[in-house]
């Protein structure tokens, strides 16, 4: 099964110059925890996630999560996010993210999901334009349907 | 690729009932309409055209503004139809359109419309940026439906100018002031929404003279073609030199659901034009698609075979425009 057969043709994305306040707004409204970032030619430039934003706002947050004895100060996070509000998405995005192509096989994608511990991967065409997204759950769903058909 | 813009998308809820008005009930009893079937789909003119084109196997993109839980449902249904979704999210909730179809009276449904969410200027700017990129890759751009609160009346005119500058042909399917403003950009095809009383003239439209007068004005503004629904089974196509009378030989009683028939008509014409057909063949296919969609219980017909079966029932007569 090829990626184009199970990808979501949803181009919900932000641009490199979209301010962080808008990135958060879009994540909240779309219920997506990470969004593709595109340049002014609609080519994929990166991916920005809730995790990227929290990490930038509170660099020690993920270290603190390892320890149950220290709780992060939520005011500190709020202040940092306020400072970041007008910064462009490009400042916090993950550049050169893992991508797949519409003609790639499901097995390659499954391997990427496992090896890179990703939940979703942007799909780009030969010119690097964003054409969709594959989510771990979509692949699981398609594979389970194939299993049902086989039994 | 065909790009469709639906500024005010809807969740279409359709109910099928035996009787629209229940028998006189005891005054202590609340009358209840029992639906024997119900259905939810994504809706709005541009989205309907995109879903039709995707069913024909075409690469169709839907743009517009989504909001709230209803917006998430619309997105899901659009994606399930194989349409590429490229929406901008706004606060609030998208509208729901309710249609109640009564057995035997399907040609006269009860329809409830509501207002869509307010579109803030920041969201409009975000949309325009995405639109500019998408229009550059489109062969046709379909602009459809009413404008939600917050969008300027010349919204469609500006989108049409951008699309033309990017080399795409524009189809405008709306009513009222946004229609007349939009025509200033000289779209390729205009389909006035005649439910809007100001669509054709300031007077109630419907006579052939009204249509011809509106058609001439449209041609003066640089519109290539205007398609007007004349009566339920007939449309008129006006081109700079001709009037085309398009008729479907079909009885009212054969209609199962008229919702979306206009969008199948526009979608059908575009599909065949994009495949390289001459205008007459494309229009015949579009009319057949509209008839096939009216005969299906669902909003849009499912397959090409249904459309091809209706082709023979379409009559086209062409006469000069004087």
């Amino acid at each position: 099964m090829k990626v184009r057969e199970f990808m979501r043709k949803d181009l919900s994305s932000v641009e490199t110059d979209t301010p962080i306040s808008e990135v958060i707004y879009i994540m909240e409204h779309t219920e997506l925890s990470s969004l593709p970032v595109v340049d002014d030619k609609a080519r994929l430039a990166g991916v920005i996630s809730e995790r990227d934003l929290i990490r930038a706002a509170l660099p020690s947050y993920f270290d603190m999560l390892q320890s149950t004895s220290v709780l992060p100060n939520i005011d500190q996070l709020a202040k940092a996010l306020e400072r970041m509000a007008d910064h462009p998405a490009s400042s916090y995005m993950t550049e050169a993210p893992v991508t797949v192509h519409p003609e790639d096989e499901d097995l390659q994608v499954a391997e990427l999901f496992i090896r890179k511990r990703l939940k979703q991967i942007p799909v780009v065409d030969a010119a690097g334009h964003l054409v969709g997204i594959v989510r771990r759950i979509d692949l699981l769903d398609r594979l389970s349907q194939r299993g049902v058909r086989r039994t | 690729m065909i790009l469709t813009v639906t500024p005010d998308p809807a969740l279409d809820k359709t109910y099928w009932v035996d009787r629209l008005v229940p028998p006189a009930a005891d005054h202590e009893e609340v009358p209840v309409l029992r639906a024997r079937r119900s259905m939810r789909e994504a809706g709005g003119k541009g989205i309907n055209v995109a879903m039709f084109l995707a069913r024909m196997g075409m690469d169709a993109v839907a743009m517009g503004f989504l909001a709230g839980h209803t917006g998430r449902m619309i997105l899901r249904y659009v994606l399930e139809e194989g349409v590429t979704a490229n929406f901008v999210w706004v606060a609030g909730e998208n509208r729901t359109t309710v249609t109640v179809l009564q057995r035997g009276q399907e040609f006269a449904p009860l329809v409830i419309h509501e207002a869509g969410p307010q579109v803030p200027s920041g969201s409009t700017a975000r949309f325009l940026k995405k639109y500019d990129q998408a229009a550059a890759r489109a062969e046709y751009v379909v602009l459809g439906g009413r404008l939600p609160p917050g969008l300027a009346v010349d919204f469609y005119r500006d989108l049409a100018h951008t699309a033309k500058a990017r080399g795409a042909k524009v189809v405008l399917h709306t009513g009222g002031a946004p229609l007349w403003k939009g025509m200033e950009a000289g779209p390729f095809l205009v389909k006035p929404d005649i439910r809007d009383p100001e669509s054709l003239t300031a007077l109630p439209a419907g006579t052939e003279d009204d249509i011809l007068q509106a058609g001439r004005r449209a041609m003066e503004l640089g519109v290539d073609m205007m398609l007007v629904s004349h009566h339920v089974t007939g449309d008129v196509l006006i081109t700079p030199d001709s009037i085309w009378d398009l008729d479907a030989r079909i009885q009212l009683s054969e209609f199962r659901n008229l919702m979306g028939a206009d969008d199948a008509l526009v979608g059908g014409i575009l599909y065949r034009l994009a495949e390289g057909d001459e205008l007459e063949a494309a229009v015949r296919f579009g009319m057949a698609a509209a008839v096939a969609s009216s005969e299906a219980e669902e909003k849009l017909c499912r397959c090409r075979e249904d459309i091809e079966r209706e082709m023979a029932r379409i009559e086209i007569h062409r006469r000069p425009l004087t």
Side-chain angles (χ1 to χ4, degrees):
Chain A
M1 186 171 52
K2 292 193 186 298
V3 164
R4 62 176 156 74
E5 295 171 63
F6 65 95
M7 70 179 186
R8 275 167 72 84
K9 293 201 273 183
D10 181 7
L11 306 186
S12 292
S13 57
V14 294
E15 290 172 23
T16 44
D17 61 353
T18 306
I20 294 305
S21 55
E22 274 189 43
V23 172
I24 295 173
Y25 175 88
I26 295 166
M27 281 179 178
E28 201 260 320
H29 282 79
T30 55
E31 291 187 343
L32 294 170
S33 57
S34 85
L35 288 166
V37 184
V38 294
D39 66 12
D40 56 7
K41 298 276 188 295
R43 285 176 308 219
L44 185 76
V47 168
I48 192 160
S49 66
E50 288 169 358
R51 204 182 163 90
D52 293 330
L53 295 176
I54 295 170
R55 189 183 281 129
L58 213 60
S60 54
Y61 179 72
F62 286 99
D63 297 334
M64 284 189 284
L65 281 182
Q66 306 299 317
S67 153
T68 49
S69 59
V70 191
L71 286 171
N73 181 347
I74 209 76
D75 288 340
Q76 214 180 323
L77 180 62
K79 275 188 196 135
L81 284 173
E82 203 184 321
R83 276 197 305 277
M84 290 160 61
D86 296 329
H87 296 180
S90 55
S91 308
Y92 304 102
M93 70 184 188
T94 302
E95 284 178 55
V98 174
T99 58
V100 290
H101 292 277
E103 299 304 313
D104 286 349
E105 291 294 332
D106 50 4
L107 193 67
Q108 289 167 267
V109 184
E111 199 215 328
L112 282 173
F113 277 134
I114 296 164
R115 203 156 43 85
K116 305 274 185 183
R117 294 186 176 192
L118 296 164
K119 275 191 186 162
Q120 56 183 47
I121 303 174
V123 185
V124 294
D125 65 13
H129 292 122
L130 178 70
V131 293
I133 199 131
V134 282
R135 302 182 307 179
R136 212 159 52 180
I137 190 67
D138 296 326
L139 182 60
L140 273 175
D141 182 51
R142 290 302 288 255
L143 292 174
S144 74
Q145 281 176 25
R146 191 152 68 177
V148 168
R149 274 202 298 275
R150 198 170 288 158
T151 50
Chain B
M1 177 266 273
I2 296 183
L3 174 64
T4 67
V5 177
T6 315
D8 202 6
L11 178 70
D12 284 351
K13 293 187 80 171
T14 312
Y15 298 94
W16 285 266
V17 301
D18 288 334
R19 285 190 58 145
L20 204 45
V21 184
D26 187 278
H27 67 280
E28 284 181 8
E29 208 176 295
V30 179
V32 173
L33 288 177
R34 298 238 177 254
R36 62 186 159 80
R37 189 185 168 197
S38 65
M39 194 174 178
R40 273 185 295 213
E41 294 167 284
K45 292 194 194 312
I47 287 177
N48 288 345
V49 172
M51 294 193 302
F52 177 86
L53 292 169
R55 285 180 190 189
M56 296 298 118
M58 294 211 81
D59 187 7
V61 177
M63 294 189 77
F65 300 93
L66 291 182
H69 290 290
T70 319
R72 282 194 281 274
M73 284 169 77
I74 294 170
L75 175 63
R76 200 182 90 195
Y77 293 132
V78 164
L79 292 174
E80 279 176 5
E81 289 279 348
V83 172
T84 299
N86 194 0
F87 289 94
V88 168
W89 289 83
V90 296
E93 201 68 42
N94 280 118
R95 65 199 172 103
T96 299
T97 299
V98 175
T99 304
V100 187
L101 295 156
Q102 181 181 197
R103 197 193 288 269
Q105 302 283 311
E106 286 89 350
F107 53 87
L110 173 74
V111 185
I112 305 175
H113 279 216
E114 63 178 346
Q118 176 85 25
V119 177
S121 57
S123 306
T124 309
R126 221 168 25 232
F127 170 87
L128 291 175
K129 230 168 156 182
K130 276 172 175 264
Y131 173 80
D132 201 22
Q133 293 168 346
R137 287 190 276 154
E139 191 180 347
Y140 288 94
V141 172
V142 180
L143 309 171
R146 298 183 77 114
L147 299 177
L151 292 183
V153 71
D154 48 14
F155 184 69
Y156 281 145
R157 183 192 61 191
D158 295 349
L159 296 190
H161 274 308
T162 305
K164 282 184 81 174
R166 300 279 175 278
K169 287 182 173 169
V170 177
V171 178
L172 182 60
H173 188 3
T174 186
L179 171 76
W180 284 105
K181 277 276 173 202
M183 283 202 283
E184 291 172 13
F188 168 70
L189 172 65
V190 167
K191 174 92 176 72
D193 182 357
I194 52 158
R195 290 174 305 179
D196 199 316
E198 287 171 39
S199 281
L200 290 178
T201 59
L203 304 163
T207 71
E208 195 181 275
D209 276 352
D210 287 340
I211 294 172
L212 292 185
Q213 202 183 329
R216 283 192 199 96
R217 258 181 82 191
M219 299 301 120
E220 280 163 22
L221 288 169
V223 174
D224 292 327
M225 291 189 279
M226 188 185 229
L227 185 58
V228 186
S229 298
H230 190 196
H231 48 87
V232 189
T233 58
D235 286 49
V236 177
L237 178 73
I238 299 165
T239 57
D241 59 0
S242 304
I243 304 164
W244 308 45
D245 295 300
L246 320 170
D247 276 293
R249 282 170 301 173
I250 177 170
Q251 302 295 316
L252 279 184
S253 58
E254 292 179 66
F255 290 132
R256 289 287 163 270
N257 185 355
L258 280 167
M259 307 299 290
D262 264 8
D263 306 315
L265 170 61
V266 171
I269 294 173
L270 286 190
Y271 165 57
R272 293 312 314 174
L273 286 178
E275 293 283 290
D277 270 11
E278 294 293 327
L279 182 60
E280 184 170 335
V283 167
R284 185 180 296 277
F285 187 87
M287 283 293 285
V291 170
S293 291
S294 313
E295 288 175 337
E297 274 216 327
E298 292 78 14
K299 189 167 62 179
L300 299 168
C301 54
R302 274 275 147 214
C303 60
R304 209 174 310 206
E305 289 72 45
D306 293 343
I307 300 172
E308 270 153 18
R309 206 178 43 236
E310 298 300 336
M311 299 276 275
R313 294 217 272 178
I314 309 302
E315 282 181 354
I316 301 180
H317 297 287
R318 194 171 169 179
R319 55 201 160 105
L321 177 69
T322 48

